[in-house]
Amino acid sequence: MHGRLKVKTTAEKEREKRIEKEEKCKHFKAGLDKAFQMREKGDNQNALSLTAPLLMTNPDVYTLWNYRREIILEFKSQVQCKLETETVETSKNNSENDVKPKDDNSNDLSDDMNKSKSDETQNEFEILCENELELTSSCLLKNPKSYCVWHHRAWVLQTMEKPNFKREIMLCNQFLEMDERNFHCWDYRRFIHDFAKLDINEELQYTLRKIEQNFSNFSSWYYRSSLFTEAHIRGVLNFCDHWEKEYNLVENAVFTDPNDQSPWFYHKWLLATNHGENIISFAESIESNEISLQKVIYDKQNRVLITVFDKSTINCPYDVIDIEFENEVKSPSPQWFSALNDYSRIWHLTFPFQKPFQSITLKCTNKELPYEIRDSKLLFPVDFTADTLVHSFKDNDLLNDSFERKSLKKDQILNLRCLRDMEPDNKWVNLALASIDNLDNLKDLINLDPIRRNYYNDQKSKEMCINFIKTMDKCSPIGVMKSRGLTCLYFGDALIHLSFLDLSQNGLQKLSVAFNELILLETFILDENQITNISEGFRLPMLKVISLQNNRLNSKSLSTLNKCSNLRTVYIFGNEIGENNEQKIPFEVVQEEISVQDLQLTYGSNKIIQYL
Amino acid sequence: MLTKDVEIKDEYPKEFLLEKHAQYLANYAKNKDGYEQITLEYLRMSGIYWGLTAMDLIDRTSLLGHKSEILELIKQCQHECGGISSSVGHDPHILHTLSAIQILTIYDAINDNVIDLNKVVTYIKSLQQKDGSFFGDKWGEIDVRFSFCAIASLSLLNRLHEIDINSAISFVMKCNNLIDGGFGSRPGSESHAGLVYCALGALSLTGQLDRINADLLGWWLCERQLPSGGLNGRPEKLPDLCYSWWVLASLQILGRLHWIDRNKLMRFITACQDEESGGFSDRPGNLVDPFHTLFGIAGISLLIHEYGDSYDSEATAVQMTKLKSCVKLINPVLCMPQCLIDKLNIKMQLLKL
């Protein structure tokens, strides 16, 4: 019922309309019933002409198309049968001719006759298919967005002997002239392009024509990006040679109408390909079926082992652990805990024994893993003097994915700046500049585009987290990210080694499950945020102290902290939490104010962290 | 260039008209010989699912009162091959197979021998192709929607392992587009919010969401919100209420629901209600139908339960709290009340930020 305006009419008109509708409806229903009856009886005569007008009225009745396909296939097999018998007859005639004294003329004649006869049979089938194509064209004119009709047309084309691909492309041109965003038609066009193995350059030309006709045609820009990717991968062209020209095209488009988002998406894509150089790695990255270990952390004090992978799984990929003591090897069945809920990238376990050991071997014997594991067996020495040992295998890839900071030539950047000077309130140019030039633009974007303020705030937080991780002292167990306007935490897995984290004076609104990645955290300071609730799944296994002073929590909030099983003290000064809390809480709730300095003095950590 | 959008007039409804919607859906279900019911018979099974789920979310299924009749219909619609059709006389299709399974789940009748479950599984398996994709039925249409239908159906039956999950996911990922992080219906197709939802649903139920660029896709999804507050399905298109589901559910799966503006979207959704007849339409002032009614209510459910508790004003806080008590929480992947999914203990991955 898309896009049908409700029109108010008089009672009389309404009645007339209703009667007319009911009449139509009855008629349609009778036709449909008849078609279904015929199909059941196998009485297919006239079925094509009976169902055609029904489909013209309602092209989405998929069963009627199925019925037609059955009839067409039946006809096709009859035709094939006929052709086969004719071929047999021909060869029979030929062999008879072989025996007979040779009469060149008569032989030629009978060959021709046979040929024209089989052509005729073949023609009958092609005519049937042609009619079918015509019916689909008429239906499409009525409803150009019917899945069934486009599929039927593709089916007919694949069933025909000699489909006319040129005509199909013309049909697409015609329908895209009527609606340049009709994705059904674009998909059909791609089907024809692949099926007929048409020239990719012609399609590139077509998208260029469509774009030049109207810059505001995202479908064309999109198709162009995917054609270039395909052509580059297939070696038809080197996209690096085309990048500059494409950039000029899109630059021209954004200067023509800076408020039109379609070319800006293409602009963003061009930047992401990094002058064309990244086009393949960019495409391959999503195809990767491999899971790999990024980091192993062993905390001696708590006897906690943590594994961090690049992908989530429902069980820890390493299902066997060998622990090497001085003179024996034990293989206890590992009790992994997920950092998040069902699926997690981070798994941790606590060893039950006190005895020191030399090494740990992790093995993956699980055959049902949804990914291929890079290392099915890994040995880690844990014989060390520090408190926490970190084995890092792969730097967090995600750090390269900062606000997608990309490079452009000087004059290209100058042009963008010039555009912003002309159109200071245009969000798109500010967004583009934020990814190239200066993150401060994100601040302006919150004012220019307030409905997406939470997105911009989170992206700013992401940058803050990246900067923090890049510059932090990796050997310190204490992390301080105060007053940086954080609204969320990115890359928590880079902070797993921390036992003390101060996030006070930020813009956090809730204690999200994303914080669960901080497995070794013992003291968490969140004073002066705007936290209104603590997520049901929030859980930090080592957490002993949490300070939530001056937030917006209410009396119900505290019970969700119960899942932190080692929690001893909660500071809650400056929230709307009443004194008389009836819920049973296994930790001490401190109402008095305490300064961050005092918290740090009391709970600061001096753990030694060592990297391998 | 003018932005394609609609104007939200002050006269459009603002309050959530729960009882009117219940009445509208109840009447719709009863009026089986109506014009719309007959012309839309080819999607009847899905239609029943839309109405029933909407009614369950507002806790009014009792008004439908035709459970046995519907179970009987589902029984009649199962074919020899195991697939289920939209209605009697029509052919089996994976779209209606999923709808039937969802209906049986909501009615807690999945194990009541209404249909032969083994045959359903055989049917779904038979539709999987070498490249991992799924046909919609035996006639060979391929679409990421059908991948979602297959994976969702088998998850509800707890028999997901019976298909080739790895190749199924590899096909879904071939539909991923680098330009915007979104998904189209087939490899090479333009991104579309409805198909993004299907792809994310498939990835969530198989625990493979880490393959995607959640920030890029999340951004593209929040860019669907227009100044009116409504959401469109692709750049430069008009808003449509059904994207309040496809876009919101996708953002919720990505843990980025808060990237859209809640108040503005709430205003758009409530404006799509018909004060006289009840029900929701695609845009304010248009004709209502059960499809948009479900997705209007489903969108409201996510906005009130999952967006967070920071409100800009006391009035919003009051409105949201009131709605929370009368609209159930919906599961963003399977589009059914969360309490049912919890009961079945269906595992799915949801990203968090």
Side-chain angles (χ1 to χ4, degrees):
Chain A
M1 213 64 37
H2 284 99
R4 276 178 50 195
L5 199 69
K6 183 177 172 175
V7 192
K8 291 202 172 159
T9 49
T10 61
E12 197 187 344
K13 260 192 188 164
E14 211 162 279
R15 215 189 56 220
E16 269 172 32
K17 238 185 160 177
R18 207 186 57 226
I19 292 170
E20 194 192 312
K21 257 181 164 182
E22 276 167 5
E23 208 48 47
K24 256 198 199 159
C25 184
K26 247 195 232 158
H27 195 71
F28 180 79
K29 179 79 180 138
L32 195 65
D33 287 345
K34 176 132 194 255
F36 285 170
Q37 274 167 22
M38 285 167 70
R39 187 183 189 205
E40 213 172 312
K41 280 191 214 144
D43 164 24
N44 297 339
Q45 233 180 358
N46 300 327
L48 291 183
S49 51
L50 174 78
T51 50
L54 295 173
L55 284 165
M56 287 287 290
T57 321
N58 200 342
D60 286 324
V61 186
Y62 64 100
T63 307
L64 291 180
W65 292 113
N66 295 348
Y67 186 22
R68 293 181 78 87
R69 282 192 280 264
E70 285 167 2
I71 296 168
I72 294 165
L73 283 183
E74 198 188 305
F75 190 79
K76 190 178 182 178
S77 74
Q78 280 170 7
V79 166
Q80 267 159 356
C81 247
K82 247 193 204 166
L83 284 175
E84 269 164 36
T85 13
E86 278 159 12
T87 330
V88 172
E89 272 169 19
T90 317
S91 58
K92 234 201 244 161
N93 287 343
N94 283 347
S95 53
E96 274 166 21
N97 288 344
D98 279 350
V99 186
K100 277 183 190 167
K102 244 186 161 139
D103 182 343
D104 277 340
N105 283 338
S106 74
N107 197 7
D108 273 1
L109 198 65
S110 81
D111 239 17
D112 271 2
M113 268 172 65
N114 279 320
K115 210 173 148 214
S116 70
K117 209 171 155 193
S118 63
D119 275 358
E120 208 176 286
T121 320
Q122 187 60 51
N123 264 341
E124 266 180 69
F125 181 67
E126 293 297 299
I127 288 168
L128 183 72
C129 290
E130 285 296 334
N131 288 339
E132 210 57 18
L133 291 179
E134 221 165 274
L135 174 65
T136 58
S137 318
S138 317
C139 289
L140 286 174
L141 283 172
K142 238 195 120 192
N143 179 6
K145 293 181 179 175
S146 171
Y147 280 103
C148 301
V149 185
W150 286 106
H151 174 242
H152 188 65
R153 192 168 179 98
W155 183 88
V156 172
L157 219 71
Q158 286 167 296
T159 312
M160 288 174 86
E161 289 292 327
K162 292 176 206 142
N164 180 348
F165 296 120
K166 218 172 178 179
R167 189 183 56 187
E168 294 310 298
I169 291 289
M170 299 284 280
L171 174 111
C172 291
N173 290 350
Q174 185 198 339
F175 274 91
L176 292 174
E177 207 57 54
M178 293 188 286
D179 175 5
E180 59 190 14
R181 299 298 305 283
N182 183 345
F183 73 83
H184 300 271
C185 185
W186 282 107
D187 279 350
Y188 185 72
R189 186 183 185 98
R190 277 183 276 271
F191 156 73
I192 296 294
H193 171 72
D194 293 342
F195 187 53
K197 300 193 173 60
L198 301 179
D199 184 2
I200 208 164
N201 286 309
E202 276 183 29
E203 287 299 271
L204 277 169
Q205 274 305 316
Y206 178 73
T207 56
L208 186 62
R209 266 210 317 280
K210 293 301 276 182
I211 287 167
E212 283 170 347
Q213 254 174 40
N214 178 10
F215 283 140
S216 176
N217 179 354
F218 180 68
S219 301
S220 297
W221 288 107
Y222 157 70
Y223 190 28
R224 196 162 173 79
S225 78
S226 87
L227 285 169
F228 270 126
T229 309
E230 190 194 330
H232 186 93
I233 289 172
R234 280 183 17 205
V236 178
L237 52 79
N238 183 345
F239 186 57
C240 298
D241 304 336
H242 293 256
W243 194 91
E244 200 75 31
K245 222 175 132 197
E246 290 308 300
Y247 191 86
N248 292 339
L249 174 71
V250 83
E251 193 177 60
N252 185 12
V254 299
F255 268 84
T256 308
D257 183 355
N259 290 312
D260 180 359
Q261 55 181 293
S262 302
W264 284 112
F265 280 104
Y266 196 72
H267 187 269
K268 190 176 160 82
W269 173 74
L270 282 177
L271 291 189
T273 65
N274 193 23
H275 303 271
E277 280 164 22
N278 288 349
I279 191 164
I280 286 192
S281 65
F282 199 39
E284 278 170 350
S285 63
I286 56 164
E287 303 253 328
S288 163
N289 197 33
E290 201 178 61
I291 184 167
S292 61
L293 189 63
Q294 293 191 309
K295 207 192 281 186
V296 175
I297 299 168
Y298 182 64
D299 188 81
K300 214 159 55 172
Q301 204 183 340
N302 296 305
R303 299 187 311 282
V304 172
L305 179 72
I306 303 164
T307 55
V308 181
F309 294 86
D310 61 349
K311 294 192 176 90
S312 303
T313 45
I314 200 158
N315 290 305
C316 179
Y318 291 116
D319 51 345
V320 175
I321 300 185
D322 294 340
I323 300 158
E324 190 201 347
F325 294 90
E326 251 169 48
N327 43 20
E328 61 171 331
V329 174
K330 272 191 181 173
S331 305
S333 90
Q335 286 277 311
W336 290 107
F337 288 94
S338 144
L340 293 176
N341 296 319
D342 291 333
Y343 285 91
S344 183
R345 290 170 50 226
I346 301 172
W347 295 87
H348 61 99
L349 59 77
T350 307
F351 291 116
F353 30 79
Q354 300 278 4
K355 222 172 25 164
F357 49 94
Q358 275 81 47
S359 73
I360 302 167
T361 306
L362 297 175
K363 291 181 195 164
C364 171
T365 63
N366 183 357
K367 296 254 169 1
E368 309 234 306
L369 209 63
Y371 305 101
E372 283 162 36
I373 190 153
R374 185 182 286 167
D375 301 294
S376 61
K377 189 178 165 187
L378 279 169
L379 171 85
F380 306 101
V382 290
D383 203 5
F384 59 98
T385 49
D387 300 301
T388 310
L389 189 69
V390 182
H391 295 260
S392 212
F393 300 95
K394 213 164 111 191
D395 262 339
N396 203 331
D397 270 351
L398 300 164
L399 288 186
N400 300 326
D401 170 49
S402 58
F403 194 67
E404 289 147 50
R405 182 128 340 137
K406 297 293 158 0
S407 67
L408 275 183
K409 281 189 188 154
K410 243 188 192 153
D411 57 324
Q412 290 163 339
I413 297 178
L414 283 176
N415 283 347
L416 282 177
R417 286 197 192 135
C418 165
L419 181 59
R420 189 193 39 200
D421 292 341
M422 293 189 294
E423 305 260 343
D425 292 343
N426 179 286
K427 96 170 195 195
W428 297 97
V429 67
N430 278 287
L431 197 55
L433 280 168
S435 70
I436 299 159
D437 209 20
N438 189 347
L439 256 189
D440 283 344
N441 287 320
L442 282 173
K443 248 187 268 158
D444 300 334
L445 279 161
I446 295 171
N447 298 323
L448 291 176
D449 186 23
I451 63 174
R452 273 165 281 273
R453 62 194 172 279
N454 291 340
Y455 166 73
Y456 298 121
N457 277 323
D458 285 354
Q459 290 308 299
K460 247 171 54 192
S461 303
K462 188 177 181 179
E463 283 299 316
M464 292 295 170
C465 291
I466 289 169
N467 289 340
F468 176 77
I469 292 163
K470 278 184 177 161
T471 56
M472 71 181 175
D473 172 7
K474 281 161 74 181
C475 293
S476 166
I478 294 177
V480 180
M481 271 197 273
K482 264 167 95 165
S483 38
R484 301 196 191 201
L486 289 186
T487 50
C488 65
L489 181 76
Y490 270 90
F491 314 120
D493 57 334
L495 305 174
I496 295 183
H497 60 282
L498 295 179
S499 42
F500 181 104
L501 179 60
D502 180 359
L503 296 182
S504 52
Q505 296 167 3
N506 280 301
L508 297 167
Q509 295 192 346
K510 68 172 176 185
L511 259 186
S512 130
V513 179
F515 289 108
N516 286 10
E517 298 186 337
L518 307 166
I519 307 285
L520 294 176
L521 201 62
E522 295 177 11
T523 308
F524 199 1
I525 300 174
L526 292 150
D527 296 353
E528 294 174 59
N529 278 279
Q530 288 124 46
I531 299 171
T532 50
N533 69 328
I534 299 169
S535 294
E536 286 287 334
F538 176 73
R539 181 182 58 205
L540 285 175
M542 299 300 148
L543 191 68
K544 293 189 182 115
V545 178
I546 187 165
S547 179
L548 291 157
Q549 300 180 95
N550 297 310
N551 276 286
R552 297 180 190 168
L553 294 163
N554 59 38
S555 55
K556 283 183 217 146
S557 320
L558 288 185
S559 58
T560 32
L561 287 171
N562 281 352
K563 289 192 183 115
C564 303
S565 52
N566 278 309
L567 189 60
R568 290 201 302 249
T569 315
V570 182
Y571 292 94
I572 54 146
F573 174 82
N575 286 283
E576 284 171 28
I577 299 174
E579 291 252 2
N580 300 327
N581 214 311
E582 283 167 27
Q583 292 145 326
K584 272 196 184 163
I585 289 171
F587 42 79
E588 183 198 4
V589 178
V590 181
Q591 302 270 359
E592 289 79 41
E593 189 171 12
I594 180 169
S595 70
V596 176
Q597 285 88 341
D598 285 345
L599 282 167
Q600 194 155 352
L601 275 176
T602 321
Y603 302 109
S605 171
N606 50 12
K607 264 189 181 173
I608 297 166
I609 298 166
Q610 194 181 323
Y611 285 78
L612 265 187
Chain B
M1 192 200 69
L2 282 169
T3 311
K4 286 182 185 139
D5 199 0
V6 295
E7 188 197 340
I8 305 292
K9 295 182 189 146
D10 196 50
E11 70 208 51
Y12 293 145
K14 295 185 183 80
E15 294 289 314
F16 177 58
L17 309 167
L18 189 146
E19 297 304 341
K20 290 226 160 161
H21 302 315
Q23 210 47 58
Y24 163 72
L25 291 167
N27 290 341
Y28 191 92
K30 274 181 203 129
N31 184 17
K32 271 183 286 291
D33 300 318
Y35 173 77
E36 268 165 22
Q37 292 268 35
I38 285 175
T39 47
L40 297 177
E41 202 190 49
Y42 67 89
L43 44 77
R44 179 139 182 238
M45 196 60 76
S46 299
I48 293 170
Y49 155 73
W50 298 327
L52 178 61
T53 308
M55 285 295 233
D56 198 356
L57 286 173
I58 53 175
D59 207 11
R60 292 289 184 281
T61 45
S62 57
L63 291 179
L64 290 170
H66 58 334
K67 175 178 168 182
S68 59
E69 210 179 297
I70 284 171
L71 298 189
E72 184 53 34
L73 174 77
I74 294 177
K75 199 184 185 98
Q76 284 175 21
C77 287
Q78 187 172 35
H79 292 243
E80 198 42 46
C81 62
I84 295 163
S85 56
S86 57
S87 191
V88 178
H90 292 260
D91 286 350
H93 197 284
I94 201 162
L95 288 169
H96 306 293
T97 304
L98 171 60
S99 295
I101 292 171
Q102 287 173 307
I103 297 165
L104 291 174
T105 307
I106 293 174
Y107 274 138
D108 194 19
I110 202 88
N111 294 314
D112 292 357
N113 288 321
V114 177
I115 49 168
D116 185 332
L117 298 179
N118 289 330
K119 276 190 171 175
V120 172
V121 175
T122 310
Y123 175 69
I124 293 171
K125 278 169 75 170
S126 76
L127 296 174
Q128 190 170 27
Q129 304 304 302
K130 265 215 180 93
D131 65 354
S133 66
F134 282 85
F135 282 178
D137 60 15
K138 67 173 185 176
W139 294 104
E141 189 182 5
I142 288 175
D143 195 304
V144 83
R145 287 180 299 149
F146 308 145
S147 298
F148 172 71
C149 289
I151 288 171
S153 299
L154 293 178
S155 296
L156 284 167
L157 299 177
N158 194 20
R159 292 175 73 166
L160 192 52
H161 55 278
E162 299 208 27
I163 50 160
D164 181 349
I165 296 175
N166 285 2
S167 72
I169 292 310
S170 131
F171 173 78
V172 170
M173 286 312 296
K174 285 202 180 87
C175 302
N176 187 236
N177 291 318
L178 299 163
I179 192 168
D180 49 25
F183 291 83
S185 52
R186 282 186 285 278
S189 302
E190 181 185 341
S191 298
H192 179 287
L195 301 160
V196 167
Y197 164 81
C198 290
L200 291 184
L203 293 169
S204 164
L205 288 167
T206 52
Q208 313 224 9
L209 285 171
D210 296 300
R211 292 172 184 261
I212 57 164
N213 185 341
D215 271 357
L216 179 62
L217 177 51
W219 170 68
W220 184 81
L221 286 164
C222 76
E223 277 296 337
R224 301 301 105 242
Q225 189 164 33
L226 298 164
S228 67
L231 303 164
N232 61 16
R234 291 187 286 155
E236 310 284 352
K237 301 285 283 184
L238 279 171
D240 181 324
L241 182 72
C242 61
Y243 296 110
S244 304
W245 176 249
W246 313 120
V247 173
L248 282 195
S250 299
L251 281 168
Q252 174 63 11
I253 293 170
L254 296 177
R256 285 149 174 85
L257 182 66
H258 61 287
W259 284 3
I260 57 100
D261 183 306
R262 169 164 58 190
N263 289 352
K264 292 206 110 179
L265 180 56
M266 266 311 244
R267 181 68 197 105
F268 178 85
I269 296 178
T270 51
C272 290
Q273 299 175 105
D274 189 320
E275 254 168 336
E276 292 165 11
S277 64
F280 288 82
S281 55
D282 59 348
R283 283 184 275 282
N286 283 359
L287 283 170
V288 299
D289 61 72
F291 174 85
H292 287 98
T293 304
L294 168 61
F295 294 134
I297 296 173
I300 288 177
S301 171
L302 285 180
L303 288 180
I304 56 178
H305 290 289
E306 300 283 17
Y307 193 92
D309 293 336
S310 298
Y311 303 114
D312 59 340
S313 72
E314 195 52 38
T316 320
V318 171
Q319 187 201 9
M320 294 290 168
T321 316
K322 196 180 134 205
L323 282 172
K324 258 189 190 177
S325 65
C326 56
V327 181
K328 291 184 197 171
L329 170 63
I330 192 160
N331 178 273
V333 175
L334 292 163
C335 195
M336 290 160 70
Q338 182 63 38
C339 51
L340 289 174
I341 307 303
D342 290 341
K343 220 166 78 186
L344 294 169
N345 193 24
I346 297 171
K347 299 254 190 287
M348 58 190 76
Q349 183 186 12
L350 300 175
L351 301 183
K352 301 282 176 196
L353 191 62

